Amino acid sequence: MSIDRVILFIGPPGSGKGTLSQECVQKLGWTQVSTGDLCRKHIAKQTEIGKSIDFAIKSGKLVSDGLISQMVFDWFKKGQQQSDVVILDGYPRTVNQARDFNALADQLGDAAQVVVAKFVIDDDVVVDRLVNRYICKNKSCQRVYSLKPTSSFVPANDMMCDACGSELIKRKDDTADAIKERLKVYHLHENDLLSHYEDAGYEIREFKSDLPIDQLFTEFKERLGVSL
Ligand SMILES: [Zn+2]
């Protein structure tokens, strides 16, 4: 399938990029690529990319920009998109990755439009969200829940996925300390990344992502001119 639009979701972990992506997948039929999910899949399948990522993580290093880009390119090369709109959730995260992506975007053809969406949220809200976050264990589902009683994502049945009935699990890196570290790394690159796109003439569409998901989804569709 040819690609009309690639939407880059730029925002800190826990800013609701994943949840908004899920809405777009379920209600608009778009395709979402999350680099976090791709990393986990490659590691689980022990692919060459997965082994390299695993090695970097186990040696306490950051996974290199080149490796992350290679993984995203591999995904596009295999043609796994099932729609003409693709959301890149969490990529590019650095200017180097953005430069890699420019090369990829050229290969996607002239028709493919790249849209930059930025999600803004307070770090405190992120930490609070992520320490309460649980994920469906089923690899083909991976729906996200919150055990915070005021959240609209509390599972109907205790620790069980509403969609597929699988057990809900917590990611190892969803602890307060690990989240603060991820936020630090994110903020380190955020301004440079956004300047890169501004300098290249892109309009940055900014969304306040502490809105309830239905409001965020409505605003998102309006601002992107999606008429469904
Ligand atoms: Zn599930």
Side-chain angles (χ1 to χ4, degrees):
M1 170 144 352
S2 68
I3 296 175
D4 287 342
R5 260 212 260 200
V6 179
I7 306 176
L8 311 179
F9 275 18
I10 297 176
S15 59
K17 304 187 304 295
T19 310
L20 181 62
S21 299
Q22 277 186 359
E23 287 287 294
C24 294
V25 169
Q26 283 162 20
K27 297 187 177 152
L28 304 174
W30 293 359
T31 308
Q32 172 211 17
V33 197
S34 144
T35 40
D37 290 347
L38 276 186
C39 280
R40 281 183 281 276
K41 276 182 195 158
H42 276 279
I43 292 171
K45 286 187 187 160
Q46 283 290 297
T47 62
E48 286 308 310
I49 293 173
K51 284 180 200 164
S52 305
I53 294 171
D54 210 17
F55 179 75
I57 293 171
K58 283 185 179 142
S59 345
K61 289 187 220 150
L62 286 175
V63 181
S64 72
D65 288 329
L67 194 52
I68 297 283
S69 292
Q70 196 192 333
M71 184 176 73
V72 172
F73 283 32
D74 173 76
W75 185 89
F76 276 99
K77 212 168 66 193
K78 286 183 181 149
Q80 289 170 351
Q81 73 277 3
Q82 285 143 10
S83 61
D84 50 10
V85 184
V86 173
I87 294 172
L88 283 183
D89 173 2
Y91 180 88
R93 195 164 280 166
T94 66
V95 173
N96 282 334
Q97 290 178 15
R99 293 204 178 106
D100 292 341
F101 177 70
N102 292 344
L104 173 70
D106 287 343
Q107 291 172 29
L108 294 176
D110 297 337
Q113 178 202 10
V114 176
V115 177
V116 182
K118 176 195 177 191
F119 298 92
V120 184
I121 192 163
D122 283 345
D123 283 2
D124 294 346
V125 179
V126 168
V127 174
D128 189 51
R129 267 189 185 178
L130 293 191
V131 294
N132 286 296
R133 179 167 78 171
Y134 282 76
I135 316 276
C136 173
K137 194 181 176 182
N138 176 355
K139 289 235 157 37
S140 59
C141 176
Q142 296 195 323
R143 194 187 272 219
V144 178
Y145 293 91
S146 173
L147 294 195
K148 199 177 155 76
T150 51
S151 162
S152 44
F153 296 98
V154 177
N157 294 305
D158 199 25
M159 296 305 282
M160 211 195 244
C161 177
D162 293 356
C164 74
S166 301
E167 187 194 343
L168 303 185
I169 52 167
K170 188 149 188 62
R171 281 194 196 141
K172 269 184 257 150
D173 54 354
D174 278 350
T175 63
D177 283 348
I179 296 158
K180 282 177 191 160
E181 187 56 35
R182 266 146 68 204
L183 284 168
K184 208 170 87 188
V185 173
Y186 172 79
H187 289 304
L188 196 65
H189 295 289
E190 184 188 39
N191 287 340
D192 287 347
L193 182 60
L194 292 167
S195 304
H196 169 86
Y197 281 107
E198 266 163 8
D199 294 347
Y202 287 88
E203 178 195 349
I204 315 273
R205 288 163 225 239
E206 189 172 308
F207 298 92
K208 297 232 182 312
S209 55
D210 50 358
L211 292 175
I213 183 62
D214 47 342
Q215 279 180 41
L216 178 61
F217 184 51
T218 303
E219 194 193 323
F220 178 78
K221 284 188 296 183
E222 275 171 18
R223 299 261 307 276
L224 267 76
V226 178
S227 54
L228 278 168

